Structures are given as structure tokens and as C-alpha cells.
Amino acid sequence: MTLASLFFASVVLWIVVGAVWLLPQKMKLMKRLGHLTAHQIIQLGKEGDAEVQSLRRKGWWWIAIGMTALLPQLLVLNIIKTTGN
């Protein structure tokens, strides 16, 4: 397995695990809120809706964890590519 395919597999795994973890929670929230726009949902979070705030926090944490794990791999791939090894 090459480093590029390992990076691709890491990205796919990150997306799949995030979808499995966050999507059911988002679906539950959407079922509770009905047909609100994204702006209205953000306003609910600002007004103190705990479920909206929790889901937003989890989403940002998921992005931060993923970037922390994936950026070093991407840097290593770019260094190897530029040095020609």
C-alpha cells in the first residue's frame, strides 16, 4: 500500500466514521425541529438549544481531530513528492 493510498483510505475512514457518528444525531435533531432553515437552526443554538449546541460542538471537534490527523500525512506526502523519493 502506497502512502497516497493510505492517505486516501484515512480520509475515507474519517468521513465514514463521522457520518456514522454524527448523522443519526443530526437526523434526530431535524425530526424534532421540522423544516427549519439552516439560519433558523443556528439561531436556536445561539438562543440556548442544548441539542443544537451539542451537535455543532461535536461537528467542530470532529473537524479539528480529522485535520490534526490528516494534515501531517499530507505534509509527509508533499515532502516525499518534492524530494522525488
Side-chain angles (χ1 to χ4, degrees):
M1 185 179 260
T2 66
L3 287 177
S5 60
L6 183 64
F7 176 73
F8 180 72
S10 299
V11 170
V12 170
L13 180 67
W14 177 60
I15 290 170
V16 168
V17 170
V20 168
W21 180 49
L22 293 173
L23 194 58
Q25 296 174 35
K26 180 165 176 124
M27 297 304 289
K28 179 182 165 193
L29 177 67
M30 296 308 289
K31 188 176 182 180
R32 180 176 69 89
L33 296 178
H35 298 288
L36 295 179
T37 65
H39 180 70
Q40 290 169 327
I41 293 172
I42 291 170
Q43 280 303 116
L44 278 176
K46 288 179 180 177
E47 292 169 4
D49 189 299
E51 192 175 358
V52 173
Q53 290 175 344
S54 172
L55 189 58
R56 289 191 61 183
R57 221 175 296 118
K58 288 176 184 176
W60 283 113
W61 272 105
W62 187 249
I63 290 171
I65 290 168
M67 290 300 136
T68 302
L70 295 174
L71 281 177
Q73 290 181 27
L74 187 59
L75 291 173
V76 167
L77 283 173
N78 282 333
I79 290 170
I80 290 172
K81 183 179 176 183
T82 57
T83 58
N85 290 334

